[in-house]
């Protein structure tokens, strides 16, 4: 499993003077040109795992390949600067496919003033693979790591959760501008974007922060698609289950000191709602609470790349 | 074909203030932290195209995935700084495979003081895919682009060519230190690393430089493996054919003004031989000359990713 690999790599990879924050966060933080300001992230997408090329417009696939990386920069509160795109294309129809992927990717790059600086284009007999690497710069407030949450901080999220498989996972808005605005106006201690699932990604954040969190289930914002999916599947999973475990919402989870969280909620400075869904606690572990059942252990649910 | 895609992308991607040199060279040159010094490159390798996982130690595969990127930095005369690694792993045995890939990659990273800053690890039902992205910094002499060769410059190469399929393509030495030393001591006008083939990559260089080149076939250094391969295949291709077209030698082709080329050859400052194999001319196109046949057109041969 990926977490196991990261643990092994963290033991194996020696400290390096350029690396301020290495494997295990949303992006690496590098000291370049003598300035602690560069952030680097990569995400690789494969056909039949991250999208179904047979069923979806390739422009949406190209857009997603960039958007998931922008979301990682957002999770670090970093401004996008430049990126490179590597493709493994099927041999037949590869050129047209590549052009369509770029037609989806480039408008999003332009919207965030991101320079597409280069790439590598390959053909092979396998399914489509896209790998996008971005560099960004953090603001004067510094990077927003996973490991900074403190007991007493509020768990604040952007937007709503669940059911992204119905289409949102291709068309979501990476929360870059939202993260930059919040980092500028409020004190933020930690952040992560929800790619694997709300509960599992909150789990990643508390693990890095060496603390715990209590999630208020009644407060979790449930996306309309989570309700639609629960209704369509009709298999006993609730909209809340989908919100907690579906993944690919690409919303932000933030650790915010109580005063700033209160101010943030009162001001609602974004186009998307900000919600407090719980608090960080000293005791390690993930807990849930609701009006009816009180507090109990929350088993994180979500996506993890499985390999053994 | 990749060159066609790059041409289309160059039309499509608007100029960006951060990008000093965009798609089409060995690496992109970026203006970061206000300094024209950052170089970014990506290479994606796939099973059964760039290596045969069934027949080769995964550590050599991991090493190659990094080495081809280091070679791109060498071709820009840039010093490696940091990199990220993205993997698509088969589901069964993926963790052990990932660890072996890193066991091959990390010692090479350490040797070049390269920071492995992060990555992305995925599992899927397809064959192994590795994508490595590196950033580097150019020296005070600036980046070494493909487009700087001038008529009258000598065509200088490091090392020898051909037959890399016998093993050299996995175990080659990226010419990073060689490029940095040459860029420091001599005037270099242009450079490229030989990944696709000596003649085709020289073709890329003259195309970007808008000039031509005459290759002295008698002077081309032929690798022992090119002779071995010609002997083994016994199909009429000569060792010189292999030297001109095999690819994956990962040696450097440099455009050097005559005085510096003469000094370079007299001093032979590297552990690997430097050879003049021709000269750049004003007339566009690639030409060959030898003792017996005089001058004629040289049709570039080598590897190109084909897709249509």
């Amino acid at each position: 499993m990926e977490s196991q690999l990261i643990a092994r790599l963290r033991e194996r990879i020696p400290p390096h003077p350029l690396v301020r924050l290495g494997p295990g966060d949303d992006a690496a933080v590098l000291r370049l040109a003598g300035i602690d300001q560069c952030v680097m992230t990569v995400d690789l997408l494969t056909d039949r795992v991250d999208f179904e090329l047979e069923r979806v417009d390739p422009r949406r696939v190209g857009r997603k390949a960039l958007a998931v990386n922008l979301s990682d920069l957002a999770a670090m509160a970093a401004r996008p600067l430049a990126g490179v795109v590597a493709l493994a294309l099927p041999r037949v129809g590869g050129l047209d496919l590549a052009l369509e992927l770029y037609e989806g990717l480039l408008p999003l790059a332009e919207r965030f003033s991101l320079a597409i600086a280069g790439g590598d284009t390959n053909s092979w007999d396998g399914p489509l693979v896209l790998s996008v690497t971005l560099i960004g710069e953090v603001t004067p407030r510094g990077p927003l790591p996973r490991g900074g949450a403190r007991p007493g901080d509020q768990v604040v999220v952007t937007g709503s959760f669940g059911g992204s498989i119905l289409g949102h996972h291709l068309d979501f808005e990476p929360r870059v501008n939202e993260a930059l605005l919040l980092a500028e106006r409020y004190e933020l201690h930690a952040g992560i974007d929800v790619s694997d699932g709300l509960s599992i990604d909150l789990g990643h954040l508390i693990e890095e922060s060496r603390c715990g969190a209590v999630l208020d289930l009644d407060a979790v914002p449930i996306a309309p698609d989570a309700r639609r999916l629960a209704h369509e599947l009709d298999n006993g999973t609730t909209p809340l289950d989908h919100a907690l475990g579906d993944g690919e919402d690409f919303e932000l989870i933030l650790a915010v000191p109580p005063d700033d969280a209160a101010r943030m909620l009162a001001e609602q400075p974004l186009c998307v709602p900000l919600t407090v869904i719980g608090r960080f606690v000293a005791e390690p572990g993930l807990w849930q609470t609701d009006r009816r059942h009180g507090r109990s252990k929350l088993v994180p649910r979500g996506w993890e790349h499985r390999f053994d």
Side-chain angles (χ1 to χ4, degrees), chain A residues 188-200:
Chain A
L188 309 179
H189 286 163
I192 190 171
D193 65 322
V194 176
S195 49
D196 299 333
L198 176 57
S199 56
I200 204 169

PDB file of all heavy atoms in Angstrom, chain A residues 188-200:
ATOM      1  N   LEU A 188      -3.841  29.619   9.323  1.00  0.00           N
ATOM      2  CA  LEU A 188      -4.125  28.213   9.027  1.00  0.00           C
ATOM      3  C   LEU A 188      -2.961  27.391   9.557  1.00  0.00           C
ATOM      4  O   LEU A 188      -1.800  27.747   9.345  1.00  0.00           O
ATOM      5  CB  LEU A 188      -4.251  27.991   7.510  1.00  0.00           C
ATOM      6  CG  LEU A 188      -5.199  28.909   6.722  1.00  0.00           C
ATOM      7  CD1 LEU A 188      -5.158  28.547   5.240  1.00  0.00           C
ATOM      8  CD2 LEU A 188      -6.618  28.822   7.263  1.00  0.00           C
ATOM      9  N   HIS A 189      -3.258  26.296  10.243  1.00  0.00           N
ATOM     10  CA  HIS A 189      -2.180  25.476  10.799  1.00  0.00           C
ATOM     11  C   HIS A 189      -1.815  24.288   9.918  1.00  0.00           C
ATOM     12  O   HIS A 189      -0.675  23.836   9.925  1.00  0.00           O
ATOM     13  CB  HIS A 189      -2.563  24.977  12.196  1.00  0.00           C
ATOM     14  CG  HIS A 189      -2.497  26.041  13.240  1.00  0.00           C
ATOM     15  ND1 HIS A 189      -3.103  25.935  14.464  1.00  0.00           N
ATOM     16  CD2 HIS A 189      -1.887  27.247  13.237  1.00  0.00           C
ATOM     17  CE1 HIS A 189      -2.866  27.028  15.174  1.00  0.00           C
ATOM     18  NE2 HIS A 189      -2.136  27.840  14.448  1.00  0.00           N
ATOM     19  N   ALA A 190      -2.793  23.735   9.211  1.00  0.00           N
ATOM     20  CA  ALA A 190      -2.541  22.548   8.385  1.00  0.00           C
ATOM     21  C   ALA A 190      -3.608  22.450   7.311  1.00  0.00           C
ATOM     22  O   ALA A 190      -4.688  23.038   7.441  1.00  0.00           O
ATOM     23  CB  ALA A 190      -2.550  21.285   9.248  1.00  0.00           C
ATOM     24  N   GLY A 191      -3.305  21.705   6.254  1.00  0.00           N
ATOM     25  CA  GLY A 191      -4.270  21.531   5.178  1.00  0.00           C
ATOM     26  C   GLY A 191      -3.988  20.292   4.356  1.00  0.00           C
ATOM     27  O   GLY A 191      -2.849  19.823   4.271  1.00  0.00           O
ATOM     28  N   ILE A 192      -5.041  19.756   3.768  1.00  0.00           N
ATOM     29  CA  ILE A 192      -4.933  18.617   2.849  1.00  0.00           C
ATOM     30  C   ILE A 192      -6.114  18.724   1.895  1.00  0.00           C
ATOM     31  O   ILE A 192      -7.154  19.301   2.257  1.00  0.00           O
ATOM     32  CB  ILE A 192      -4.954  17.273   3.631  1.00  0.00           C
ATOM     33  CG1 ILE A 192      -4.597  16.094   2.726  1.00  0.00           C
ATOM     34  CG2 ILE A 192      -6.311  17.027   4.302  1.00  0.00           C
ATOM     35  CD1 ILE A 192      -4.382  14.783   3.515  1.00  0.00           C
ATOM     36  N   ASP A 193      -5.950  18.219   0.672  1.00  0.00           N
ATOM     37  CA  ASP A 193      -7.114  18.164  -0.222  1.00  0.00           C
ATOM     38  C   ASP A 193      -7.699  16.763  -0.180  1.00  0.00           C
ATOM     39  O   ASP A 193      -6.987  15.785   0.056  1.00  0.00           O
ATOM     40  CB  ASP A 193      -6.747  18.569  -1.655  1.00  0.00           C
ATOM     41  CG  ASP A 193      -5.778  17.600  -2.313  1.00  0.00           C
ATOM     42  OD1 ASP A 193      -4.859  17.102  -1.618  1.00  0.00           O
ATOM     43  OD2 ASP A 193      -5.927  17.331  -3.511  1.00  0.00           O
ATOM     44  N   VAL A 194      -8.993  16.662  -0.376  1.00  0.00           N
ATOM     45  CA  VAL A 194      -9.668  15.368  -0.274  1.00  0.00           C
ATOM     46  C   VAL A 194      -9.618  14.668  -1.626  1.00  0.00           C
ATOM     47  O   VAL A 194     -10.417  14.950  -2.520  1.00  0.00           O
ATOM     48  CB  VAL A 194     -11.118  15.534   0.216  1.00  0.00           C
ATOM     49  CG1 VAL A 194     -11.819  14.179   0.212  1.00  0.00           C
ATOM     50  CG2 VAL A 194     -11.118  16.108   1.624  1.00  0.00           C
ATOM     51  N   SER A 195      -8.635  13.786  -1.775  1.00  0.00           N
ATOM     52  CA  SER A 195      -8.575  12.980  -2.980  1.00  0.00           C
ATOM     53  C   SER A 195      -9.033  11.552  -2.673  1.00  0.00           C
ATOM     54  O   SER A 195      -9.779  10.965  -3.439  1.00  0.00           O
ATOM     55  CB  SER A 195      -7.162  12.990  -3.562  1.00  0.00           C
ATOM     56  OG  SER A 195      -6.199  12.706  -2.573  1.00  0.00           O
ATOM     57  N   ASP A 196      -8.608  11.013  -1.546  1.00  0.00           N
ATOM     58  CA  ASP A 196      -8.934   9.616  -1.237  1.00  0.00           C
ATOM     59  C   ASP A 196     -10.285   9.474  -0.546  1.00  0.00           C
ATOM     60  O   ASP A 196     -10.947   8.448  -0.674  1.00  0.00           O
ATOM     61  CB  ASP A 196      -7.839   9.006  -0.350  1.00  0.00           C
ATOM     62  CG  ASP A 196      -6.483   9.000  -1.043  1.00  0.00           C
ATOM     63  OD1 ASP A 196      -6.461   8.961  -2.285  1.00  0.00           O
ATOM     64  OD2 ASP A 196      -5.455   9.046  -0.352  1.00  0.00           O
ATOM     65  N   GLY A 197     -10.693  10.475   0.224  1.00  0.00           N
ATOM     66  CA  GLY A 197     -11.963  10.417   0.955  1.00  0.00           C
ATOM     67  C   GLY A 197     -11.865  11.318   2.177  1.00  0.00           C
ATOM     68  O   GLY A 197     -10.799  11.432   2.780  1.00  0.00           O
ATOM     69  N   LEU A 198     -12.976  11.935   2.535  1.00  0.00           N
ATOM     70  CA  LEU A 198     -12.966  12.885   3.651  1.00  0.00           C
ATOM     71  C   LEU A 198     -12.385  12.268   4.916  1.00  0.00           C
ATOM     72  O   LEU A 198     -11.502  12.846   5.565  1.00  0.00           O
ATOM     73  CB  LEU A 198     -14.397  13.383   3.904  1.00  0.00           C
ATOM     74  CG  LEU A 198     -14.618  14.310   5.095  1.00  0.00           C
ATOM     75  CD1 LEU A 198     -13.740  15.547   5.013  1.00  0.00           C
ATOM     76  CD2 LEU A 198     -16.099  14.727   5.179  1.00  0.00           C
ATOM     77  N   SER A 199     -12.849  11.072   5.294  1.00  0.00           N
ATOM     78  CA  SER A 199     -12.395  10.491   6.564  1.00  0.00           C
ATOM     79  C   SER A 199     -10.952  10.000   6.461  1.00  0.00           C
ATOM     80  O   SER A 199     -10.155  10.187   7.383  1.00  0.00           O
ATOM     81  CB  SER A 199     -13.329   9.362   7.006  1.00  0.00           C
ATOM     82  OG  SER A 199     -13.443   8.378   6.000  1.00  0.00           O
ATOM     83  N   ILE A 200     -10.581   9.388   5.342  1.00  0.00           N
ATOM     84  CA  ILE A 200      -9.215   8.855   5.226  1.00  0.00           C
ATOM     85  C   ILE A 200      -8.211  10.002   5.106  1.00  0.00           C
ATOM     86  O   ILE A 200      -7.103   9.944   5.674  1.00  0.00           O
ATOM     87  CB  ILE A 200      -9.097   7.844   4.053  1.00  0.00           C
ATOM     88  CG1 ILE A 200      -7.922   6.890   4.281  1.00  0.00           C
ATOM     89  CG2 ILE A 200      -8.961   8.515   2.719  1.00  0.00           C
ATOM     90  CD1 ILE A 200      -7.900   5.720   3.315  1.00  0.00           C
TER      91      ILE A 200
END
